[in-house]
Amino acid sequence: MSYVGPDFDPPQPRRFRRGPLTVALAALVPGALIGWFVYEAVGGPGDSGRAAAGTSATAPGVSSSPSVTASNDDKPPNSRPLTGKVVVIDPGHNVTNFQHTAEINRKVDIGTNWKECDTTGTSTNSGYAEAQFTMDVSHRLRKILERQGATVKLTHDGGSPAWGPCVDERAKIGNAAHADAAISIHADGAPAGDRGFHVILPASVHAGGADTRAIVAPSAVLGRNIESDYRRVTGEQPSNYVGDGTGLVTRKDLGGLNLSTVPKVFIECGNMRDSKDAALLTNGVWRQAAAQGISEGIVSFLRG
């Protein structure tokens, strides 16, 4: 999320190949992951035959015993723990932002100061855009949460709107939905060698149109739950460059948090500019684990 530099090339359209699902491949992983490979058999955004991304289908870094439920579709309604809950997912950036530089460079009030409406986001060195990653994980996360009974809303989806939305609008969408929990999905663009994930919590802000005082405490609980479950399910380690190894960071310069009136956090799922993290982020099996880990943190928070 944080990388905006002169050597960032706008994401270009890519042609994706769909690899076969083999018996030998299924034998390499726990039975709980088989459902993921079924998804991979029909392909997922960001996977170019997997080999091109330098990743293997065994999803290096995924916990050997992730607590994954392949499907809750056949469960009776009273077994769906999120029935009646509303979750808003904010996929960071937008794949077409680079075509709307004037619009996304417009400044908006985030309470503590004025910032750009949005940015292009970062990408891996091979050109896999952060916005592609965030949308893919958001779709996976939505499916998991809906299977558990939640009402899920995305701040944008499938090119609608055509750019953005601006960070203040993203916060307003969660507020208007009266979300029980909201999360913004990102991946970082730090220097190579900086690895790991971190969850960003809202600081206490009371300035301009921002007042986070009521959501600081519940957001911290949400963030801690997500940090713990994300680490356990994915095997990804907390950031080695921010957060002092806790996987948690508090910030007051993000409009999506400052302007939220519902419990909300950001997650930087890994560093796209580091080759080892990029190998995970470009792997569809690992992205499914990422969505699962995030979902389990949200469930833990909503169930109290």
Side-chain angles (χ1 to χ4, degrees):
M1 177 180 69
S2 62
Y3 180 84
V4 180
D7 60 338
F8 174 66
D9 295 322
Q12 300 298 318
R14 301 175 64 191
R15 300 181 65 182
F16 306 109
R17 301 196 300 272
R18 291 173 169 82
L21 178 63
T22 65
V23 174
L25 179 61
L28 295 176
V29 296
L33 290 178
I34 291 175
W36 298 351
F37 291 114
V38 173
Y39 179 95
E40 286 304 287
V42 298
D47 298 304
S48 182
R50 298 190 189 94
T55 63
S56 69
T58 54
V62 175
S63 170
S64 60
S65 301
S67 54
V68 175
T69 301
S71 174
N72 289 323
D73 288 339
D74 297 327
K75 292 185 177 182
N78 60 6
S79 70
R80 298 187 176 189
L82 301 187
T83 299
K85 300 295 185 180
V86 177
V87 179
V88 170
I89 304 172
D90 177 29
H93 312 289
N94 191 317
V95 291
T96 60
N97 273 356
F98 74 95
Q99 297 174 329
H100 300 274
T101 55
E103 291 90 343
I104 68 170
N105 286 332
R106 177 174 62 86
K107 298 292 182 69
V108 297
D109 184 4
I110 66 166
T112 53
N113 61 299
W114 290 72
K115 290 186 71 172
E116 289 78 8
C117 158
D118 203 3
T119 66
T120 57
T122 187
S123 73
T124 65
N125 292 330
S126 63
Y128 180 47
E130 180 185 1
Q132 291 176 276
F133 169 82
T134 63
M135 186 60 71
D136 180 80
V137 172
S138 295
H139 282 166
R140 295 170 188 265
L141 177 58
R142 177 175 62 184
K143 190 171 185 179
I144 295 170
L145 294 174
E146 287 180 339
R147 283 172 173 166
Q148 298 188 67
T151 297
V152 181
K153 182 176 180 62
L154 269 60
T155 58
H156 66 103
D157 192 12
S160 179
W163 52 270
C166 294
V167 294
D168 56 340
E169 287 298 322
R170 292 171 187 257
K172 289 177 183 177
I173 291 169
N175 299 344
H178 302 289
D180 295 288
I183 184 165
S184 189
I185 310 294
H186 287 270
D188 215 349
D194 290 347
R195 291 201 62 195
F197 76 96
H198 60 279
V199 178
I200 305 174
L201 313 176
S204 182
V205 173
H206 186 207
D211 187 354
T212 63
R213 292 175 295 178
I215 69 163
V216 166
S219 295
V221 176
L222 172 63
R224 287 194 295 269
N225 287 349
I226 290 174
E227 186 279 331
S228 176
D229 287 323
Y230 184 87
R231 181 189 338 196
R232 174 178 53 80
V233 174
T234 66
E236 177 78 327
Q237 293 302 301
S239 169
N240 64 7
Y241 58 100
V242 293
D244 297 323
T246 65
L248 299 171
V249 178
T250 299
R251 290 176 59 173
K252 63 178 181 181
D253 63 328
L254 299 175
L257 295 180
N258 287 359
L259 301 175
S260 181
T261 59
V262 300
K264 184 176 182 179
V265 298
F266 279 43
I267 183 169
E268 297 281 3
C269 294
N271 179 19
M272 301 197 96
R273 290 294 182 169
D274 178 81
S275 61
K276 292 181 179 179
D277 268 6
L280 301 176
L281 298 166
T282 54
N283 186 289
V285 177
W286 187 88
R287 292 196 301 271
Q288 183 68 22
Q292 182 69 33
I294 295 169
S295 75
E296 292 189 15
I298 292 173
V299 172
S300 297
F301 170 74
L302 293 179
R303 298 188 72 177

